[in-house]
Amino acid sequence: MNFTIAVSEIKELFLLIKEEPAKLFEMMELSIQKQVGNYLSKLMDMELTDHLGRKPYQRNKETGNAQISKNYRNGSYSRKFFIKRIGEVETTVPRDRNSEFHTKVLPKAKRFDERLSNDLHAMFLSGISTRALSMLSKRLIGRRVSPSEISSASKEFSLAIEKWRTRDLSPENIKYLYIDGVNFSMRVTDSIEKVPFLVIIGVDTNGYKKILLIQQGDKESASTWRQVFKDLKKRGLNYQNIKLGIMDGLSGLEKVFKEEFPNSVVQRCQVHVSRNVISKVPQKHKKEIADDLRSIFYASSKDKAKAFYKEFKIKYEKEFPSAFKSLSNSIESCLSFFEFPEEEWISLRTTNVIERLNKEFKRRTKPMEILAGETSSYNLLSFISYKMELSWASTPVGTVHPSLPFYQIYTK
């Protein structure tokens, strides 16, 4: 059969495209969608033929197989399905009288293909809220996806994320641990509560940083931290290889850390210690104190650092006793980094590595205001952590040039 089109129709088509060029792509898209829909419908019809063992209107005796089930075609129903890069296609799904046939061509109880589901989830984890993504979905994929559908698609990633979060750590040769906690507003049953999450980043013998733990728990509880460290060891972390723990002065944490990792020492975050000291002096002396603290912490050797500390004691012990006591309680832990390779000092003085991760957590969760629950939080935070690990691959500990500007101590 020949297909013909009148010249007038061609002219009309060209005039339409000339006035509205986008119409050409719309027409192409509709044509492709229709063809794909027909193709899928024919595949499903062939499926049913194979299931029944005979073609439409063909009886058992005509097939030569008397064992074929006495089941028959029973009409069809329309089903719309979204396919990545194709859009919405309309298909005709055949039915059998005994309701035994289930097509494998289209996934059961799903309205769009898995690749599109993965894209929606990736966009959600990358910073677009479910509400915003729902509004944008019409333009992005040609169909509005409800927030509940996006949340449902996200659940498919939970198993993979949980497997990564609780993975075996025995292949990781970790030598340093950065330890901290961060709070989030999270929905717990019928209320909104501030919930702390514990975060531990490890540094392996090649200097590469790895997120080892993201765990809900009380960051002020020594017993919670002890259990966290025990869990890391159960997952395969070699506690004998841990040489240093970089942390803030969380209650009881240092003592528990040393007990669980007996071959290690503690490095107190110099930024946190400095802020505590500076907060205890009058405004007009803050800069002076900050400069003297910088001299101690950025001395060229441990001996020089201790010499600067003695000068600090002479100058301020009587005038600012509270500030001096705050420093004296932490000074030994603040200088532990001197026992390690000099090229690593800039990275070991503070918890900046983990603070940067926590900042990224906050940035990503800010549009959400409230996290939906523990599992949802693990999904989101683990995704952010994995992305951070990829960015860290180019900057292992020890590669930062020691001439970089010193950190700023806030004096206001």
Side-chain angles (χ1 to χ4, degrees):
M1 183 174 68
N2 296 325
F3 176 78
T4 59
I5 182 170
V7 174
S8 59
E9 292 177 331
I10 296 176
K11 185 177 180 180
E12 185 178 342
L13 179 61
F14 273 112
L15 287 174
L16 177 62
I17 294 172
K18 185 178 180 180
E19 293 179 5
E20 299 181 65
K23 286 288 184 182
L24 174 62
F25 300 103
E26 289 181 17
M27 294 166 63
M28 292 172 62
E29 181 180 0
L30 290 172
S31 176
I32 292 171
Q33 290 170 355
K34 185 176 180 180
Q35 294 297 322
V36 171
N38 290 338
Y39 176 73
L40 295 177
S41 298
K42 289 180 181 179
L43 280 179
M44 289 184 282
D45 191 63
M46 293 171 63
E47 262 191 310
L48 181 58
T49 296
D50 183 68
H51 175 77
L52 297 176
R54 58 180 180 275
K55 298 177 182 179
Y57 310 110
Q58 187 177 25
R59 300 188 180 277
N60 290 359
K61 62 181 181 180
E62 295 175 4
T63 67
N65 187 352
Q67 303 300 319
I68 295 178
S69 170
K70 293 182 179 180
N71 192 6
Y72 300 93
R73 283 174 167 77
N74 189 32
S76 61
Y77 64 92
S78 296
R79 180 180 171 186
K80 293 181 179 180
F81 190 74
F82 273 80
I83 303 174
K84 184 175 180 179
R85 299 190 181 92
I86 300 295
E88 184 183 58
V89 299
E90 188 165 356
T91 66
T92 301
V93 184
R95 293 185 293 207
D96 64 315
R97 184 172 295 177
N98 296 345
S99 300
E100 297 171 353
F101 172 69
H102 302 288
T103 181
K104 300 291 192 304
V105 173
L106 299 180
K108 186 179 180 181
K110 290 190 177 181
R111 303 177 68 178
F112 38 82
D113 75 36
E114 186 176 350
R115 297 172 304 161
L116 192 53
S117 176
N118 292 345
D119 290 344
L120 290 171
H121 186 63
M123 285 187 284
F124 167 69
L125 292 178
S126 296
I128 305 176
S129 68
T130 54
R131 185 173 298 178
L133 189 53
S134 178
M135 291 190 294
L136 291 170
S137 60
K138 177 66 177 177
R139 286 195 171 275
L140 290 173
I141 63 174
R143 170 184 177 271
R144 185 182 182 278
V145 182
S146 69
S148 60
E149 285 181 295
I150 297 169
S151 298
S152 177
S154 299
K155 292 178 182 178
E156 298 179 8
F157 281 74
S158 295
L159 289 177
I161 287 176
E162 187 64 12
K163 184 177 180 181
W164 176 82
R165 193 179 69 85
T166 59
R167 68 194 182 280
D168 178 24
L169 298 178
S170 56
E172 308 287 358
N173 194 2
I174 303 298
K175 59 179 181 177
Y176 307 146
L177 296 179
Y178 290 90
I179 303 165
D180 201 1
V182 59
N183 293 324
F184 296 103
S185 294
M186 192 174 80
R187 188 178 301 281
V188 181
T189 60
D190 297 327
S191 62
I192 306 301
E193 301 178 17
K194 283 286 185 183
V195 178
F197 281 77
L198 313 180
V199 183
I200 296 180
I201 298 174
V203 179
D204 66 19
T205 52
N206 294 317
Y208 291 104
K209 299 180 283 288
K210 310 286 182 67
I211 286 89
L212 306 183
L213 179 123
I214 302 171
Q215 176 65 56
Q216 183 179 326
D218 184 3
K219 63 180 181 179
E220 303 296 336
S221 168
S223 60
T224 298
W225 282 111
R226 187 182 299 278
Q227 188 56 54
V228 162
F229 296 145
K230 289 184 180 295
D231 288 344
L232 286 177
K233 289 188 279 188
K234 286 180 182 178
R235 288 170 54 199
L237 181 67
N238 189 337
Y239 71 94
Q240 295 179 330
N241 289 348
I242 304 301
K243 305 301 180 185
L244 182 67
I246 305 99
M247 64 191 71
D248 187 14
L250 296 173
S251 178
L253 177 54
E254 288 189 30
K255 180 175 181 294
V256 170
F257 179 82
K258 290 176 181 178
E259 290 173 353
E260 295 297 325
F261 302 102
N263 297 335
S264 68
V265 293
V266 168
Q267 169 65 40
R268 284 287 302 277
C269 176
Q270 293 177 351
V271 169
H272 286 89
V273 171
S274 298
R275 286 173 180 166
N276 289 338
V277 173
I278 292 169
S279 68
K280 295 175 173 63
V281 299
Q283 179 66 39
K284 69 176 184 178
H285 294 282
K286 289 184 183 294
K287 186 179 185 306
E288 178 187 358
I289 293 288
D291 290 340
D292 288 342
L293 287 172
R294 192 176 292 111
S295 296
I296 298 171
F297 295 150
Y298 283 89
S300 58
S301 68
K302 191 170 186 178
D303 288 339
K304 287 187 177 181
K306 288 187 174 182
F308 284 129
Y309 170 70
K310 288 180 181 178
E311 292 179 11
F312 189 96
K313 178 178 180 180
I314 294 170
K315 288 175 65 175
Y316 303 117
E317 184 175 16
K318 291 183 179 180
E319 188 174 3
F320 305 122
S322 296
F324 173 74
K325 184 179 180 180
S326 180
L327 177 61
S328 64
N329 289 339
S330 308
I331 188 62
E332 287 300 325
S333 296
C334 284
L335 305 180
S336 298
F337 71 94
F338 280 114
E339 307 301 324
F340 297 88
E342 185 175 356
E343 65 270 17
E344 296 180 343
W345 289 358
I346 193 71
S347 299
L348 302 182
R349 286 186 173 98
T350 71
T351 57
N352 280 357
V353 168
I354 207 163
E355 292 288 348
R356 177 67 185 87
L357 178 62
N358 288 344
K359 184 178 180 181
E360 186 64 16
F361 286 165
K362 293 288 188 180
R363 185 199 67 79
R364 172 57 188 91
T365 57
K366 185 177 180 180
M368 303 174 67
E369 296 183 355
I370 299 169
L371 297 181
E374 185 175 349
T375 300
S376 176
S377 301
Y378 287 150
N379 289 349
L380 184 60
L381 300 182
S382 296
F383 178 79
I384 297 168
S385 299
Y386 186 72
K387 288 204 304 180
M388 288 295 289
E389 273 196 10
L390 294 178
S391 67
W392 288 336
S394 60
T395 56
V397 169
T399 61
V400 180
H401 198 277
S403 65
L404 285 176
F406 295 151
Y407 65 86
Q408 257 190 333
I409 297 177
Y410 294 100
T411 59
K412 294 183 180 181

